[in-house]
């Protein structure tokens, strides 16, 4: 993030964060406090885990001898909650040079845009999802939302709850509707 982009976003962010308290977060998500804490306390009961063979693209049973991608798909109810968070997260700035997970952009468009360059690099980060912990998300989101220590302190509890929903087992999950936008805003500088 350039300093001017960050300053501009922070000036608008107080208007952009639709919740400042736990009650406002629950209202925004369409949940009761009991439902919110159920999702946070028992996250594994709201996800369906399956594996995709990286070589064939097929859904397969777990096999330690295959190159597998673990997908954690949230239940329909939790998915609706996470989609509301994704809507909010989409208000954050995203790096214009990124072509992944953005509307009207694709790998093909990236190649077209960069066709006259001498080098094109495709990067696949190892352990991308496990490396995006709840703590990492909290630090990045806090920094994006405010530079005012008093405001950061008042938002701490609600941001911790948000990060617990975004990283239910301690890290970002592949298969969550929030994962694409989070990968864009948390790694803006990459």
């Amino acid at each position: 993030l350039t300093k001017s982009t960050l300053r501009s976003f922070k000036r608008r962010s107080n208007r952009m964060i639709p919740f400042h308290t736990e009650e406002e977060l629950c209202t925004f998500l369409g949940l009761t406090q009991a439902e919110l804490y159920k999702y946070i306390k028992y996250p594994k009961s709201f996800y369906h885990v399956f594996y995709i063979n990286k070589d064939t693209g097929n859904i397969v049973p777990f096999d330690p001898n295959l190159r597998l991608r673990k997908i954690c798909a949230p239940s329909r109810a939790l998915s609706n909650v996470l989609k509301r968070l994704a809507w909010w997260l989409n208000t954050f700035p995203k790096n214009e040079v990124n072509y992944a997970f953005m509307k009207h952009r694709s790998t093909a468009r990236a190649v077209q845009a960069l066709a006259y360059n001498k080098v094109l690099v495709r990067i696949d980060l190892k352990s991308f999802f496990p490396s995006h912990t709840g703590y990492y998300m909290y630090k990045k989101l806090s920094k994006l939302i405010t530079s005012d220590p008093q405001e950061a302190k008042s938002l701490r509890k609600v941001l911790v709850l948000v990060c617990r929903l975004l990283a239910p087992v301690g890290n970002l999950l592949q298969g969550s509707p929030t994962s694409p936008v989070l990968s864009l805003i948390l790694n803006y500088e990459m």
Side-chain angles (χ1 to χ4, degrees), residues 1-2 93-102 105 114 121-133 136 140 143-144 172 179-190:
L1 237 51
T2 65
K94 293 160 211 73
N95 196 318
E96 286 301 311
V97 300
N98 194 319
Y99 277 80
F101 310 123
M102 294 184 73
R105 293 196 176 191
L114 302 169
V121 179
R122 180 178 180 260
I123 298 172
D124 190 9
L125 301 174
K126 185 176 179 171
S127 302
F128 179 83
F129 288 90
S131 68
H132 286 68
T133 64
Y136 176 77
K140 287 286 199 167
K143 184 178 175 185
L144 282 170
L172 186 61
S179 296
V181 68
L182 276 169
S183 68
L184 293 173
I185 63 175
L186 297 176
N187 303 299
Y188 185 100
E189 291 96 359
M190 253 189 227

mmCIF file of all heavy atoms in Angstrom, residues 1-2 93-102 105 114 121-133 136 140 143-144 172 179-190:
data_model
loop_
_atom_site.group_PDB
_atom_site.id
_atom_site.type_symbol
_atom_site.label_atom_id
_atom_site.label_comp_id
_atom_site.label_asym_id
_atom_site.label_seq_id
_atom_site.Cartn_x
_atom_site.Cartn_y
_atom_site.Cartn_z
ATOM 1 N N LEU A 1 0.847 -1.171 0.000
ATOM 2 C CA LEU A 1 0.000 0.000 0.000
ATOM 3 C C LEU A 1 0.887 1.225 0.000
ATOM 4 O O LEU A 1 1.775 1.333 0.824
ATOM 5 C CB LEU A 1 -0.818 -0.013 1.289
ATOM 6 C CG LEU A 1 -2.325 0.019 1.234
ATOM 7 C CD1 LEU A 1 -2.899 -1.017 0.323
ATOM 8 C CD2 LEU A 1 -2.902 -0.081 2.596
ATOM 9 N N THR A 2 0.631 2.114 -0.889
ATOM 10 C CA THR A 2 1.377 3.361 -0.848
ATOM 11 C C THR A 2 0.852 4.161 0.340
ATOM 12 O O THR A 2 -0.282 3.971 0.782
ATOM 13 C CB THR A 2 1.183 4.179 -2.140
ATOM 14 O OG1 THR A 2 -0.183 4.577 -2.211
ATOM 15 C CG2 THR A 2 1.585 3.391 -3.369
ATOM 16 N N PRO A 93 -8.986 -1.670 -0.217
ATOM 17 C CA PRO A 93 -8.233 -1.530 -1.474
ATOM 18 C C PRO A 93 -7.551 -2.837 -1.877
ATOM 19 O O PRO A 93 -7.135 -3.614 -1.027
ATOM 20 C CB PRO A 93 -7.203 -0.441 -1.156
ATOM 21 C CG PRO A 93 -7.106 -0.390 0.322
ATOM 22 C CD PRO A 93 -8.403 -0.889 0.871
ATOM 23 N N LYS A 94 -7.483 -3.039 -3.193
ATOM 24 C CA LYS A 94 -6.791 -4.205 -3.746
ATOM 25 C C LYS A 94 -5.777 -3.705 -4.761
ATOM 26 O O LYS A 94 -6.025 -2.723 -5.450
ATOM 27 C CB LYS A 94 -7.794 -5.144 -4.402
ATOM 28 C CG LYS A 94 -8.735 -5.781 -3.405
ATOM 29 C CD LYS A 94 -9.972 -6.280 -4.131
ATOM 30 C CE LYS A 94 -11.194 -6.234 -3.267
ATOM 31 N NZ LYS A 94 -11.722 -4.905 -3.014
ATOM 32 N N ASN A 95 -4.664 -4.378 -4.852
ATOM 33 C CA ASN A 95 -3.599 -3.964 -5.752
ATOM 34 C C ASN A 95 -4.039 -4.164 -7.198
ATOM 35 O O ASN A 95 -4.460 -5.248 -7.589
ATOM 36 C CB ASN A 95 -2.331 -4.766 -5.458
ATOM 37 C CG ASN A 95 -1.114 -4.147 -6.054
ATOM 38 O OD1 ASN A 95 -1.131 -3.683 -7.191
ATOM 39 N ND2 ASN A 95 -0.038 -4.123 -5.299
ATOM 40 N N GLU A 96 -3.930 -3.115 -7.992
ATOM 41 C CA GLU A 96 -4.381 -3.160 -9.385
ATOM 42 C C GLU A 96 -3.581 -4.124 -10.258
ATOM 43 O O GLU A 96 -4.046 -4.524 -11.315
ATOM 44 C CB GLU A 96 -4.348 -1.760 -9.997
ATOM 45 C CG GLU A 96 -5.480 -0.886 -9.496
ATOM 46 C CD GLU A 96 -6.860 -1.460 -9.791
ATOM 47 O OE1 GLU A 96 -7.127 -1.865 -10.936
ATOM 48 O OE2 GLU A 96 -7.678 -1.520 -8.857
ATOM 49 N N VAL A 97 -2.371 -4.472 -9.853
ATOM 50 C CA VAL A 97 -1.581 -5.389 -10.680
ATOM 51 C C VAL A 97 -2.000 -6.845 -10.468
ATOM 52 O O VAL A 97 -1.557 -7.723 -11.179
ATOM 53 C CB VAL A 97 -0.053 -5.237 -10.429
ATOM 54 C CG1 VAL A 97 0.398 -3.840 -10.746
ATOM 55 C CG2 VAL A 97 0.319 -5.639 -9.023
ATOM 56 N N ASN A 98 -2.862 -7.082 -9.513
ATOM 57 C CA ASN A 98 -3.304 -8.437 -9.233
ATOM 58 C C ASN A 98 -4.416 -8.834 -10.194
ATOM 59 O O ASN A 98 -5.336 -8.062 -10.437
ATOM 60 C CB ASN A 98 -3.809 -8.519 -7.783
ATOM 61 C CG ASN A 98 -3.948 -9.950 -7.331
ATOM 62 O OD1 ASN A 98 -4.405 -10.798 -8.072
ATOM 63 N ND2 ASN A 98 -3.545 -10.212 -6.120
ATOM 64 N N TYR A 99 -4.335 -10.044 -10.715
ATOM 65 C CA TYR A 99 -5.369 -10.557 -11.606
ATOM 66 C C TYR A 99 -6.113 -11.741 -11.008
ATOM 67 O O TYR A 99 -7.083 -12.211 -11.575
ATOM 68 C CB TYR A 99 -4.759 -10.955 -12.962
ATOM 69 C CG TYR A 99 -4.606 -9.760 -13.879
ATOM 70 C CD1 TYR A 99 -3.547 -8.884 -13.728
ATOM 71 C CD2 TYR A 99 -5.534 -9.511 -14.874
ATOM 72 C CE1 TYR A 99 -3.418 -7.788 -14.556
ATOM 73 C CE2 TYR A 99 -5.416 -8.408 -15.711
ATOM 74 C CZ TYR A 99 -4.356 -7.555 -15.542
ATOM 75 O OH TYR A 99 -4.237 -6.469 -16.361
ATOM 76 N N ALA A 100 -5.684 -12.212 -9.865
ATOM 77 C CA ALA A 100 -6.349 -13.353 -9.232
ATOM 78 C C ALA A 100 -7.564 -12.881 -8.443
ATOM 79 O O ALA A 100 -7.533 -11.836 -7.805
ATOM 80 C CB ALA A 100 -5.378 -14.059 -8.297
ATOM 81 N N PHE A 101 -8.630 -13.630 -8.491
ATOM 82 C CA PHE A 101 -9.824 -13.421 -7.676
ATOM 83 C C PHE A 101 -10.483 -12.055 -7.862
ATOM 84 O O PHE A 101 -11.146 -11.561 -6.965
ATOM 85 C CB PHE A 101 -9.514 -13.598 -6.178
ATOM 86 C CG PHE A 101 -8.790 -14.860 -5.842
ATOM 87 C CD1 PHE A 101 -7.576 -14.812 -5.181
ATOM 88 C CD2 PHE A 101 -9.315 -16.093 -6.178
ATOM 89 C CE1 PHE A 101 -6.910 -15.967 -4.853
ATOM 90 C CE2 PHE A 101 -8.656 -17.257 -5.860
ATOM 91 C CZ PHE A 101 -7.443 -17.198 -5.190
ATOM 92 N N MET A 102 -10.297 -11.419 -8.987
ATOM 93 C CA MET A 102 -10.908 -10.109 -9.203
ATOM 94 C C MET A 102 -11.904 -10.187 -10.354
ATOM 95 O O MET A 102 -11.646 -10.878 -11.349
ATOM 96 C CB MET A 102 -9.834 -9.054 -9.476
ATOM 97 C CG MET A 102 -8.959 -8.813 -8.258
ATOM 98 S SD MET A 102 -7.755 -7.512 -8.479
ATOM 99 C CE MET A 102 -8.778 -6.064 -8.431
ATOM 100 N N ARG A 105 -11.309 -10.179 -14.419
ATOM 101 C CA ARG A 105 -9.878 -10.429 -14.613
ATOM 102 C C ARG A 105 -9.640 -11.934 -14.587
ATOM 103 O O ARG A 105 -10.366 -12.669 -13.939
ATOM 104 C CB ARG A 105 -9.047 -9.760 -13.525
ATOM 105 C CG ARG A 105 -9.110 -8.261 -13.619
ATOM 106 C CD ARG A 105 -8.023 -7.645 -12.825
ATOM 107 N NE ARG A 105 -8.040 -6.202 -13.008
ATOM 108 C CZ ARG A 105 -7.079 -5.426 -12.610
ATOM 109 N NH1 ARG A 105 -6.015 -5.925 -12.031
ATOM 110 N NH2 ARG A 105 -7.146 -4.139 -12.792
ATOM 111 N N LEU A 114 0.354 -8.379 -20.148
ATOM 112 C CA LEU A 114 1.808 -8.449 -19.966
ATOM 113 C C LEU A 114 2.531 -9.083 -21.153
ATOM 114 O O LEU A 114 3.716 -9.362 -21.080
ATOM 115 C CB LEU A 114 2.123 -9.244 -18.688
ATOM 116 C CG LEU A 114 1.509 -8.665 -17.410
ATOM 117 C CD1 LEU A 114 1.654 -9.650 -16.260
ATOM 118 C CD2 LEU A 114 2.141 -7.337 -17.071
ATOM 119 N N VAL A 121 5.910 -14.042 -14.658
ATOM 120 C CA VAL A 121 6.132 -14.951 -13.540
ATOM 121 C C VAL A 121 4.788 -15.371 -12.965
ATOM 122 O O VAL A 121 3.942 -14.527 -12.676
ATOM 123 C CB VAL A 121 6.981 -14.268 -12.430
ATOM 124 C CG1 VAL A 121 7.177 -15.205 -11.255
ATOM 125 C CG2 VAL A 121 8.301 -13.817 -12.993
ATOM 126 N N ARG A 122 4.597 -16.660 -12.814
ATOM 127 C CA ARG A 122 3.419 -17.201 -12.138
ATOM 128 C C ARG A 122 3.912 -17.755 -10.819
ATOM 129 O O ARG A 122 4.823 -18.577 -10.789
ATOM 130 C CB ARG A 122 2.773 -18.305 -12.967
ATOM 131 C CG ARG A 122 1.558 -18.890 -12.297
ATOM 132 C CD ARG A 122 0.905 -19.951 -13.182
ATOM 133 N NE ARG A 122 -0.245 -20.493 -12.533
ATOM 134 C CZ ARG A 122 -0.253 -21.651 -11.894
ATOM 135 N NH1 ARG A 122 0.831 -22.386 -11.820
ATOM 136 N NH2 ARG A 122 -1.355 -22.088 -11.328
ATOM 137 N N ILE A 123 3.298 -17.296 -9.735
ATOM 138 C CA ILE A 123 3.762 -17.690 -8.410
ATOM 139 C C ILE A 123 2.670 -18.473 -7.695
ATOM 140 O O ILE A 123 1.509 -18.074 -7.698
ATOM 141 C CB ILE A 123 4.139 -16.448 -7.568
ATOM 142 C CG1 ILE A 123 5.278 -15.694 -8.238
ATOM 143 C CG2 ILE A 123 4.496 -16.836 -6.151
ATOM 144 C CD1 ILE A 123 5.583 -14.364 -7.584
ATOM 145 N N ASP A 124 3.044 -19.568 -7.095
ATOM 146 C CA ASP A 124 2.141 -20.340 -6.251
ATOM 147 C C ASP A 124 2.836 -20.451 -4.898
ATOM 148 O O ASP A 124 3.865 -21.108 -4.782
ATOM 149 C CB ASP A 124 1.882 -21.720 -6.859
ATOM 150 C CG ASP A 124 0.757 -22.454 -6.142
ATOM 151 O OD1 ASP A 124 0.066 -21.844 -5.305
ATOM 152 O OD2 ASP A 124 0.584 -23.652 -6.420
ATOM 153 N N LEU A 125 2.303 -19.770 -3.903
ATOM 154 C CA LEU A 125 2.959 -19.742 -2.597
ATOM 155 C C LEU A 125 2.701 -21.029 -1.829
ATOM 156 O O LEU A 125 1.559 -21.470 -1.706
ATOM 157 C CB LEU A 125 2.461 -18.543 -1.782
ATOM 158 C CG LEU A 125 2.687 -17.188 -2.430
ATOM 159 C CD1 LEU A 125 2.035 -16.096 -1.612
ATOM 160 C CD2 LEU A 125 4.167 -16.921 -2.589
ATOM 161 N N LYS A 126 3.755 -21.593 -1.295
ATOM 162 C CA LYS A 126 3.639 -22.819 -0.517
ATOM 163 C C LYS A 126 3.031 -22.498 0.852
ATOM 164 O O LYS A 126 3.379 -21.492 1.468
ATOM 165 C CB LYS A 126 5.022 -23.457 -0.342
ATOM 166 C CG LYS A 126 4.978 -24.797 0.342
ATOM 167 C CD LYS A 126 6.329 -25.432 0.416
ATOM 168 C CE LYS A 126 6.180 -26.757 1.134
ATOM 169 N NZ LYS A 126 7.355 -27.551 1.082
ATOM 170 N N SER A 127 2.133 -23.329 1.298
ATOM 171 C CA SER A 127 1.466 -23.173 2.601
ATOM 172 C C SER A 127 0.792 -21.821 2.740
ATOM 173 O O SER A 127 0.796 -21.214 3.813
ATOM 174 C CB SER A 127 2.462 -23.400 3.747
ATOM 175 O OG SER A 127 3.044 -24.664 3.652
ATOM 176 N N PHE A 128 0.208 -21.348 1.650
ATOM 177 C CA PHE A 128 -0.423 -20.028 1.649
ATOM 178 C C PHE A 128 -1.508 -19.928 2.720
ATOM 179 O O PHE A 128 -1.506 -19.020 3.534
ATOM 180 C CB PHE A 128 -1.016 -19.740 0.270
ATOM 181 C CG PHE A 128 -1.715 -18.420 0.189
ATOM 182 C CD1 PHE A 128 -0.990 -17.268 -0.033
ATOM 183 C CD2 PHE A 128 -3.093 -18.332 0.346
ATOM 184 C CE1 PHE A 128 -1.625 -16.032 -0.111
ATOM 185 C CE2 PHE A 128 -3.732 -17.107 0.268
ATOM 186 C CZ PHE A 128 -2.995 -15.964 0.043
ATOM 187 N N PHE A 129 -2.445 -20.844 2.718
ATOM 188 C CA PHE A 129 -3.571 -20.756 3.642
ATOM 189 C C PHE A 129 -3.153 -20.947 5.103
ATOM 190 O O PHE A 129 -3.547 -20.154 5.951
ATOM 191 C CB PHE A 129 -4.688 -21.719 3.227
ATOM 192 C CG PHE A 129 -5.394 -21.253 1.984
ATOM 193 C CD1 PHE A 129 -4.958 -21.645 0.728
ATOM 194 C CD2 PHE A 129 -6.470 -20.392 2.066
ATOM 195 C CE1 PHE A 129 -5.592 -21.197 -0.415
ATOM 196 C CE2 PHE A 129 -7.112 -19.932 0.924
ATOM 197 C CZ PHE A 129 -6.673 -20.338 -0.313
ATOM 198 N N PRO A 130 -2.347 -21.948 5.422
ATOM 199 C CA PRO A 130 -1.923 -22.085 6.825
ATOM 200 C C PRO A 130 -1.108 -20.901 7.348
ATOM 201 O O PRO A 130 -1.132 -20.603 8.536
ATOM 202 C CB PRO A 130 -1.075 -23.361 6.830
ATOM 203 C CG PRO A 130 -1.518 -24.121 5.636
ATOM 204 C CD PRO A 130 -1.913 -23.090 4.617
ATOM 205 N N SER A 131 -0.415 -20.194 6.458
ATOM 206 C CA SER A 131 0.415 -19.076 6.926
ATOM 207 C C SER A 131 -0.406 -17.831 7.249
ATOM 208 O O SER A 131 0.084 -16.899 7.877
ATOM 209 C CB SER A 131 1.485 -18.734 5.882
ATOM 210 O OG SER A 131 0.879 -18.186 4.727
ATOM 211 N N HIS A 132 -1.654 -17.799 6.837
ATOM 212 C CA HIS A 132 -2.523 -16.658 7.122
ATOM 213 C C HIS A 132 -3.329 -16.941 8.392
ATOM 214 O O HIS A 132 -4.458 -17.391 8.347
ATOM 215 C CB HIS A 132 -3.430 -16.364 5.927
ATOM 216 C CG HIS A 132 -2.699 -15.730 4.808
ATOM 217 N ND1 HIS A 132 -1.755 -16.399 4.071
ATOM 218 C CD2 HIS A 132 -2.733 -14.475 4.313
ATOM 219 C CE1 HIS A 132 -1.258 -15.591 3.164
ATOM 220 N NE2 HIS A 132 -1.824 -14.414 3.299
ATOM 221 N N THR A 133 -2.698 -16.657 9.505
ATOM 222 C CA THR A 133 -3.308 -16.948 10.802
ATOM 223 C C THR A 133 -4.289 -15.845 11.201
ATOM 224 O O THR A 133 -4.277 -14.746 10.639
ATOM 225 C CB THR A 133 -2.227 -17.053 11.890
ATOM 226 O OG1 THR A 133 -1.597 -15.773 12.035
ATOM 227 C CG2 THR A 133 -1.196 -18.128 11.553
ATOM 228 N N TYR A 136 -2.340 -12.774 12.172
ATOM 229 C CA TYR A 136 -1.856 -12.046 10.995
ATOM 230 C C TYR A 136 -2.993 -11.201 10.409
ATOM 231 O O TYR A 136 -2.817 -10.034 10.088
ATOM 232 C CB TYR A 136 -1.322 -13.049 9.970
ATOM 233 C CG TYR A 136 -0.885 -12.442 8.657
ATOM 234 C CD1 TYR A 136 0.329 -11.770 8.547
ATOM 235 C CD2 TYR A 136 -1.661 -12.570 7.508
ATOM 236 C CE1 TYR A 136 0.741 -11.221 7.335
ATOM 237 C CE2 TYR A 136 -1.257 -12.024 6.302
ATOM 238 C CZ TYR A 136 -0.062 -11.356 6.219
ATOM 239 O OH TYR A 136 0.346 -10.816 5.029
ATOM 240 N N LYS A 140 -3.166 -7.026 10.186
ATOM 241 C CA LYS A 140 -3.316 -6.373 8.892
ATOM 242 C C LYS A 140 -4.611 -5.556 8.823
ATOM 243 O O LYS A 140 -4.603 -4.413 8.373
ATOM 244 C CB LYS A 140 -3.303 -7.400 7.757
ATOM 245 C CG LYS A 140 -1.948 -7.990 7.479
ATOM 246 C CD LYS A 140 -1.107 -6.971 6.773
ATOM 247 C CE LYS A 140 0.052 -7.613 6.074
ATOM 248 N NZ LYS A 140 0.713 -6.742 5.136
ATOM 249 N N LYS A 143 -4.437 -2.419 11.000
ATOM 250 C CA LYS A 143 -3.587 -1.400 10.375
ATOM 251 C C LYS A 143 -4.320 -0.702 9.229
ATOM 252 O O LYS A 143 -4.187 0.505 9.041
ATOM 253 C CB LYS A 143 -2.304 -2.057 9.871
ATOM 254 C CG LYS A 143 -1.300 -1.099 9.285
ATOM 255 C CD LYS A 143 -0.052 -1.841 8.854
ATOM 256 C CE LYS A 143 0.915 -0.915 8.167
ATOM 257 N NZ LYS A 143 2.074 -1.623 7.646
ATOM 258 N N LEU A 144 -5.110 -1.460 8.465
ATOM 259 C CA LEU A 144 -5.852 -0.872 7.355
ATOM 260 C C LEU A 144 -6.997 0.019 7.828
ATOM 261 O O LEU A 144 -7.305 1.022 7.205
ATOM 262 C CB LEU A 144 -6.417 -1.968 6.453
ATOM 263 C CG LEU A 144 -5.454 -2.620 5.492
ATOM 264 C CD1 LEU A 144 -6.097 -3.832 4.848
ATOM 265 C CD2 LEU A 144 -5.007 -1.634 4.435
ATOM 266 N N LEU A 172 -6.554 -19.163 7.762
ATOM 267 C CA LEU A 172 -7.470 -19.023 6.629
ATOM 268 C C LEU A 172 -7.745 -20.398 6.025
ATOM 269 O O LEU A 172 -6.840 -21.222 5.912
ATOM 270 C CB LEU A 172 -6.801 -18.108 5.593
ATOM 271 C CG LEU A 172 -7.585 -17.677 4.378
ATOM 272 C CD1 LEU A 172 -8.825 -16.892 4.784
ATOM 273 C CD2 LEU A 172 -6.701 -16.824 3.491
ATOM 274 N N SER A 179 -12.030 -16.210 1.566
ATOM 275 C CA SER A 179 -10.618 -16.468 1.260
ATOM 276 C C SER A 179 -10.078 -15.680 0.069
ATOM 277 O O SER A 179 -8.993 -15.106 0.164
ATOM 278 C CB SER A 179 -10.372 -17.962 1.054
ATOM 279 O OG SER A 179 -10.626 -18.657 2.247
ATOM 280 N N PRO A 180 -10.799 -15.609 -1.062
ATOM 281 C CA PRO A 180 -10.236 -14.858 -2.194
ATOM 282 C C PRO A 180 -9.988 -13.384 -1.887
ATOM 283 O O PRO A 180 -8.903 -12.868 -2.139
ATOM 284 C CB PRO A 180 -11.298 -15.033 -3.292
ATOM 285 C CG PRO A 180 -12.009 -16.289 -2.937
ATOM 286 C CD PRO A 180 -12.029 -16.318 -1.433
ATOM 287 N N VAL A 181 -10.987 -12.701 -1.310
ATOM 288 C CA VAL A 181 -10.802 -11.272 -1.042
ATOM 289 C C VAL A 181 -9.769 -11.049 0.061
ATOM 290 O O VAL A 181 -8.986 -10.099 0.008
ATOM 291 C CB VAL A 181 -12.146 -10.572 -0.734
ATOM 292 C CG1 VAL A 181 -12.751 -11.027 0.577
ATOM 293 C CG2 VAL A 181 -11.964 -9.060 -0.731
ATOM 294 N N LEU A 182 -9.737 -11.929 1.044
ATOM 295 C CA LEU A 182 -8.719 -11.791 2.097
ATOM 296 C C LEU A 182 -7.317 -11.938 1.532
ATOM 297 O O LEU A 182 -6.415 -11.201 1.918
ATOM 298 C CB LEU A 182 -8.940 -12.824 3.207
ATOM 299 C CG LEU A 182 -9.953 -12.429 4.257
ATOM 300 C CD1 LEU A 182 -10.290 -13.622 5.140
ATOM 301 C CD2 LEU A 182 -9.456 -11.274 5.093
ATOM 302 N N SER A 183 -7.132 -12.873 0.617
ATOM 303 C CA SER A 183 -5.797 -13.047 0.035
ATOM 304 C C SER A 183 -5.360 -11.791 -0.698
ATOM 305 O O SER A 183 -4.172 -11.460 -0.734
ATOM 306 C CB SER A 183 -5.741 -14.281 -0.867
ATOM 307 O OG SER A 183 -6.517 -14.083 -2.020
ATOM 308 N N LEU A 184 -6.311 -11.064 -1.281
ATOM 309 C CA LEU A 184 -5.981 -9.835 -2.008
ATOM 310 C C LEU A 184 -5.635 -8.678 -1.066
ATOM 311 O O LEU A 184 -4.670 -7.964 -1.293
ATOM 312 C CB LEU A 184 -7.140 -9.419 -2.913
ATOM 313 C CG LEU A 184 -7.436 -10.331 -4.083
ATOM 314 C CD1 LEU A 184 -8.707 -9.879 -4.788
ATOM 315 C CD2 LEU A 184 -6.271 -10.370 -5.050
ATOM 316 N N ILE A 185 -6.447 -8.483 -0.039
ATOM 317 C CA ILE A 185 -6.205 -7.306 0.807
ATOM 318 C C ILE A 185 -5.102 -7.528 1.826
ATOM 319 O O ILE A 185 -4.390 -6.593 2.153
ATOM 320 C CB ILE A 185 -7.495 -6.815 1.499
ATOM 321 C CG1 ILE A 185 -8.070 -7.859 2.449
ATOM 322 C CG2 ILE A 185 -8.515 -6.367 0.494
ATOM 323 C CD1 ILE A 185 -9.276 -7.372 3.230
ATOM 324 N N LEU A 186 -4.937 -8.751 2.301
ATOM 325 C CA LEU A 186 -3.889 -8.999 3.294
ATOM 326 C C LEU A 186 -2.498 -8.986 2.665
ATOM 327 O O LEU A 186 -1.509 -8.747 3.332
ATOM 328 C CB LEU A 186 -4.114 -10.325 4.005
ATOM 329 C CG LEU A 186 -5.406 -10.429 4.826
ATOM 330 C CD1 LEU A 186 -5.551 -11.829 5.396
ATOM 331 C CD2 LEU A 186 -5.438 -9.379 5.933
ATOM 332 N N ASN A 187 -2.424 -9.268 1.380
ATOM 333 C CA ASN A 187 -1.138 -9.358 0.690
ATOM 334 C C ASN A 187 -1.002 -8.277 -0.366
ATOM 335 O O ASN A 187 -0.392 -8.492 -1.403
ATOM 336 C CB ASN A 187 -0.986 -10.752 0.077
ATOM 337 C CG ASN A 187 -1.104 -11.811 1.130
ATOM 338 O OD1 ASN A 187 -0.300 -11.842 2.066
ATOM 339 N ND2 ASN A 187 -2.099 -12.651 1.041
ATOM 340 N N TYR A 188 -1.545 -7.137 -0.100
ATOM 341 C CA TYR A 188 -1.525 -6.014 -1.046
ATOM 342 C C TYR A 188 -0.124 -5.693 -1.498
ATOM 343 O O TYR A 188 0.116 -5.422 -2.664
ATOM 344 C CB TYR A 188 -2.176 -4.800 -0.373
ATOM 345 C CG TYR A 188 -2.329 -3.605 -1.284
ATOM 346 C CD1 TYR A 188 -3.551 -3.340 -1.871
ATOM 347 C CD2 TYR A 188 -1.275 -2.742 -1.540
ATOM 348 C CE1 TYR A 188 -3.739 -2.251 -2.705
ATOM 349 C CE2 TYR A 188 -1.447 -1.650 -2.371
ATOM 350 C CZ TYR A 188 -2.662 -1.413 -2.951
ATOM 351 O OH TYR A 188 -2.824 -0.332 -3.772
ATOM 352 N N GLU A 189 0.836 -5.740 -0.567
ATOM 353 C CA GLU A 189 2.199 -5.339 -0.899
ATOM 354 C C GLU A 189 2.948 -6.345 -1.764
ATOM 355 O O GLU A 189 3.954 -6.030 -2.350
ATOM 356 C CB GLU A 189 3.018 -5.122 0.384
ATOM 357 C CG GLU A 189 2.584 -3.922 1.187
ATOM 358 C CD GLU A 189 1.616 -4.290 2.310
ATOM 359 O OE1 GLU A 189 1.260 -5.461 2.450
ATOM 360 O OE2 GLU A 189 1.209 -3.374 3.029
ATOM 361 N N MET A 190 2.462 -7.578 -1.839
ATOM 362 C CA MET A 190 3.203 -8.624 -2.564
ATOM 363 C C MET A 190 3.364 -8.310 -4.013
ATOM 364 O O MET A 190 2.596 -8.039 -4.783
ATOM 365 C CB MET A 190 2.512 -9.966 -2.391
ATOM 366 C CG MET A 190 3.277 -10.857 -1.487
ATOM 367 S SD MET A 190 2.556 -12.507 -1.551
ATOM 368 C CE MET A 190 2.480 -12.856 0.170
#
